[in-house]
């Protein structure tokens, strides 16, 4: 079977025509959005940065009486102090909680540093209502 020389040229011409046509096409996309969407996104970012959305982890460095909790909080702030720290009351104990980590990996990294000063520190997930 032989292929006519003009059929090769015709095939090449058709291919190049489709290629040029496909390359010459342009598209334009118009996006319409409510004016409040940027405000909502900004609010979500603020809440996410403050870890007020979704699950998060904390590190507990102390659980016991009020006076000792205050001492441990001061010690943490003087020695480590990198993360936000608070005293929380859960009957019958006062607890010193550190940080608000978005995922377990962040909490694990912080725990390594905190355990140098507070070897009994532990990671936990607080009740979402808190």
């Amino acid at each position: 079977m032989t292929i006519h020389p003009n059929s090769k040229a015709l095939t090449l011409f058709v291919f190049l025509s489709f290629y040029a046509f496909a390359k010459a096409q342009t598209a334009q996309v118009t996006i319409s959005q409510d004016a409040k969407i940027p405000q909502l996104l900004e609010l979500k970012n603020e809440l996410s940065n403050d870890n007020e959305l979704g699950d998060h982890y904390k590190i507990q460095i102390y659980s016991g009486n009020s006076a000792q909790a205050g001492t441990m909080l001061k010690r943490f702030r003087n020695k480590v102090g990198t993360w936000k720290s608070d005293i929380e009351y859960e009957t019958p104990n006062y607890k010193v909680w550190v940080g608000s980590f978005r995922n377990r990996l962040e909490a694990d990294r912080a725990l390594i540093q905190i355990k140098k000063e507070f070897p009994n520190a532990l990671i936990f997930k607080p009740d979402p209502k808190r």
Side-chain angles (χ1 to χ4, degrees):
M1 174 173 170
T2 60
I3 299 176
H4 192 278
N6 287 341
S7 68
K8 288 182 181 178
L10 180 62
T11 303
L12 182 61
F13 174 75
V14 170
F15 175 74
L16 291 174
S17 297
F18 281 122
Y19 177 76
F21 177 74
K23 193 170 182 173
Q25 291 181 353
T26 59
Q28 182 177 0
V29 177
T30 304
I31 299 175
S32 301
Q33 69 179 21
D34 189 300
K36 294 189 180 201
I37 289 177
Q39 293 171 338
L40 291 172
L41 290 172
E42 180 64 31
L43 178 60
K44 181 190 178 289
N45 284 337
E46 288 175 19
L47 291 173
S48 293
N49 289 339
D50 293 338
N51 289 318
E52 294 182 24
L53 293 178
D55 291 340
H56 59 278
Y57 294 86
K58 290 186 176 280
I59 296 175
Q60 179 174 302
I61 61 171
Y62 176 77
S63 177
N65 66 51
S66 176
Q68 188 65 22
T71 301
M72 294 298 271
L73 180 64
K74 286 178 189 172
R75 183 173 154 215
F76 172 80
R77 289 180 177 168
N78 288 332
K79 299 260 183 177
V80 183
T82 308
W83 301 276
K84 179 183 172 200
S85 53
D86 294 307
I87 295 176
E88 298 287 332
Y89 179 71
E90 284 186 345
T91 307
N93 294 312
Y94 291 84
K95 299 178 179 194
V96 179
W97 289 355
V98 174
S100 189
F101 305 97
R102 286 186 263 196
N103 56 54
R104 180 65 190 228
L105 181 60
E106 286 181 7
D108 285 336
R109 287 178 179 159
L111 185 64
I112 290 169
Q113 292 179 346
I114 291 171
K115 278 201 171 237
K116 292 174 185 173
E117 287 293 326
F118 302 91
N120 294 327
L122 57 94
I123 296 173
F124 71 99
K125 254 185 161 178
D127 183 0
K129 297 172 190 161
R130 289 186 142 261

